[in-house]
Amino acid sequence: MSRSIVRQSKFRHVFGQAVKAEQGYDDIRVSKVTWDSSFCAVNPKFLAVIIESSGGGAFLVLPLSKSGRVDKNYPLVIGHSGPVLDIDWCPHDDNILASCSEDCTAMVWQIPDHALTRPLSDPVVVLEGHSKRVGIVTWHPTARNILLTAGSDNLIIVWNVGTGEPLLSMDDHPDLIYSISWNRNGSLFCTTCKDRRLRVCDPRKREVVAERLAPHEGIRPMRAIFTRDGNIFTTGFTRMSQRELGLWDPTNFEEPIALLELDTSNGVLLPYYDADANMVYLCGKGDSSIRYFEITEEPPYVHYLSTFSSKEPQRGMGFMPKRGVDVSKCEIARLYKLLDKKCEPITMTVPRKSDLFQDDLYPDTAGPEPAMEAEEWLDGRDEDPILVSMRDGYVPPKSRELKVSLAASTTSSMSL
């Protein structure tokens, strides 16, 4: 029997490992709200987790160094009057976090560098424009102060948080929007919707530029993310409720580049994408495993690498931006797995013998500087992220105040 030729890839042997118990975060009451968001957001400075709270919505923000048991009286961020549904750290300022809630608002928060000493209840800006609960909040990847929100009113609004104003809105979706992902330069975003369509939208033209009915034939929720080369990676279900993943070229939606059946399970697969390695980590809510794949230009295009398994099912997941990983340990990704009462960091590492900087593992990655201002993006400019070297690791800068010069009709103060 001839030996099959093994595919060459530096990521073939990536392995996952949970950190030691004392480096996790214990006694966190993770939210039980029924909404398929990740409930967790992380950056090189902070870990934020949406938690159970009576009388409104709250989330917990911890400096990454504050591992161990979380005091039950630890101050929370408590501005929302209904359960918090989604949170997202600003890619251009590690102290700025956006949240959205069942109370029909999104809020933007300035988190101080030190641990909170009292509850934080005053956002720098409140964004009011949705008539129903707001389930998705996501920052523009390259333009300063641009934030997108989507609500159960099937409306997408793009805001300038520096002025507190809505810049544009789109009402092309006839049903609940499940997920939204910007492309690499923020010129387009893709959406999945309860009407079973995958759409590519140009927000500045306020139009849907491509769409595909039922990329996955099942009726359960789909997820979609843009890859660095402009393709779209999707997760969903077959008609027989098998979980499935797909890779699509939005300029030719007729046939998938790749379509792969995985298993039979109920949990929606949340994809987390590493643009530098072109790898996707799939985390199913209620699963106790994380599967990871590499996307390449040769068949079968989506290559299964391995699975990290642990005993307890995950309630949510946070994904560290590449500038927050430890290059000295050849760590290429770090995920923060939410369990019922704690958060467990999981490191993904490429085994290497040398202690030197591995420049083939760490191409220059998206840094914290925005590539343009909000007004330039609105006027039609597109810029790729400004890259930084990982050679000496990444040291987060000190907090900068977000100055908001609010338009007449809005509240509060903030510029990144």
Side-chain angles (χ1 to χ4, degrees):
M1 210 170 98
S2 65
R3 284 183 59 207
S4 62
I5 296 166
V6 175
R7 188 179 69 92
Q8 289 298 310
S9 167
K10 54 196 169 216
F11 302 115
R12 222 159 47 92
H13 300 292
V14 170
F15 68 96
Q17 199 169 23
V19 301
K20 296 188 178 81
E22 62 269 17
Q23 292 172 294
Y25 306 85
D26 291 326
D27 281 359
I28 297 174
R29 303 186 315 281
V30 177
S31 173
K32 292 186 170 63
V33 68
T34 52
W35 183 248
D36 282 324
S37 80
S38 53
F39 290 172
C40 179
V42 63
N43 69 18
K45 282 187 180 180
F46 298 105
L47 168 70
V49 180
I50 302 173
I51 60 162
E52 277 289 285
S53 70
S54 53
F59 54 93
L60 174 72
V61 179
L62 294 168
L64 284 189
S65 57
K66 200 169 173 57
S67 55
R69 194 173 152 276
V70 179
D71 189 309
K72 68 177 189 295
N73 296 318
Y74 191 85
L76 304 173
V77 183
I78 53 168
H80 286 287
S81 60
V84 178
L85 299 176
D86 197 16
I87 48 178
D88 193 31
W89 287 106
C90 176
H92 308 128
D93 188 329
D94 287 340
N95 295 73
I96 299 295
L97 178 76
S99 62
C100 62
S101 161
E102 286 193 6
D103 66 9
C104 307
T105 70
M107 296 181 179
V108 178
W109 306 86
Q110 174 108 33
I111 307 296
D113 272 335
H114 53 79
L116 289 177
T117 50
R118 60 177 187 270
L120 185 58
S121 57
D122 293 326
V124 275
V125 69
V126 180
L127 306 173
E128 297 177 298
H130 290 280
S131 59
K132 292 185 179 175
R133 68 181 188 167
V134 187
I136 296 172
V137 62
T138 178
W139 292 92
H140 190 283
T142 60
R144 189 195 306 268
N145 285 357
I146 296 282
L147 181 70
L148 180 151
T149 59
S152 295
D153 50 6
N154 310 334
L155 193 63
I156 294 171
I157 304 179
V158 177
W159 307 82
N160 179 349
V161 297
T163 61
E165 299 179 286
L167 298 177
L168 47 94
S169 64
M170 292 183 68
D171 59 1
D172 301 78
H173 295 74
D175 212 330
L176 182 66
I177 300 162
Y178 288 138
S179 71
I180 296 185
S181 166
W182 291 99
N183 67 354
R184 188 158 171 81
N185 67 3
S187 58
L188 303 168
F189 57 77
C190 64
T191 69
T192 58
C193 177
K194 198 173 180 179
D195 71 352
R196 298 172 61 219
R197 286 181 186 269
L198 167 64
R199 292 175 173 84
V200 179
C201 304
D202 182 331
R204 289 167 300 191
K205 289 183 180 164
R206 296 173 178 75
E207 66 182 38
V208 176
V209 293
E211 64 180 297
R212 158 84 201 208
L213 175 63
H216 302 283
E217 293 192 341
I219 56 171
R220 309 217 46 239
M222 293 185 295
R223 284 284 184 279
I225 50 172
F226 264 110
T227 66
R228 68 183 183 197
D229 45 14
N231 291 329
I232 295 175
F233 180 92
T234 59
T235 67
F237 294 81
T238 67
R239 196 170 281 153
M240 307 301 292
S241 289
Q242 291 269 100
R243 290 198 293 197
E244 191 174 48
L245 57 83
L247 187 65
W248 304 83
D249 175 357
T251 61
N252 176 19
F253 263 150
E254 290 304 305
E255 288 295 318
I257 300 170
L259 201 60
L260 201 63
E261 279 189 23
L262 292 177
D263 60 5
T264 306
S265 184
N266 290 333
V268 174
L269 284 168
L270 304 180
Y272 296 90
Y273 179 61
D274 174 354
D276 300 335
N278 219 4
M279 283 174 63
V280 177
Y281 299 83
L282 294 186
C283 310
K285 280 209 163 181
D287 290 9
S288 50
S289 62
I290 299 167
R291 272 176 269 212
Y292 39 106
F293 299 79
E294 185 179 0
I295 299 172
T296 66
E297 289 174 0
E298 61 275 348
Y301 305 106
V302 180
H303 303 267
Y304 170 73
L305 292 174
S306 189
T307 299
F308 168 82
S309 294
S310 53
K311 291 193 182 76
E312 296 183 68
Q314 56 231 13
R315 299 279 306 283
M317 192 71 69
F319 189 68
M320 176 67 78
K322 184 56 74 82
R323 54 196 169 89
V325 302
D326 187 343
V327 297
S328 67
K329 296 193 171 82
C330 293
E331 179 185 50
I332 59 159
R334 193 178 321 140
L335 296 105
Y336 286 72
K337 173 177 168 175
L338 295 186
L339 310 170
D340 273 343
K341 289 281 189 329
K342 65 178 179 179
C343 176
E344 181 181 73
I346 294 160
T347 65
M348 295 287 176
T349 308
V350 177
R352 291 277 167 100
K353 290 190 172 73
S354 168
D355 289 336
L356 299 174
F357 177 72
Q358 307 290 312
D359 50 12
D360 63 321
L361 295 183
Y362 300 107
D364 290 355
T365 192
E369 279 303 312
M372 57 187 157
E373 299 300 323
E375 297 74 22
E376 294 174 300
W377 177 78
L378 194 60
D379 288 343
R381 187 169 155 193
D382 292 322
E383 293 287 346
D384 282 344
I386 295 174
L387 305 181
V388 294
S389 168
M390 295 284 289
R391 181 168 291 277
D392 302 314
Y394 172 76
V395 180
K398 285 270 186 288
S399 172
R400 297 168 294 172
E401 191 191 349
L402 175 52
K403 297 185 185 68
V404 181
S405 50
L406 289 170
S409 61
T410 15
T411 32
S412 215
S413 118
M414 133 181 173
S415 152
L416 294 182

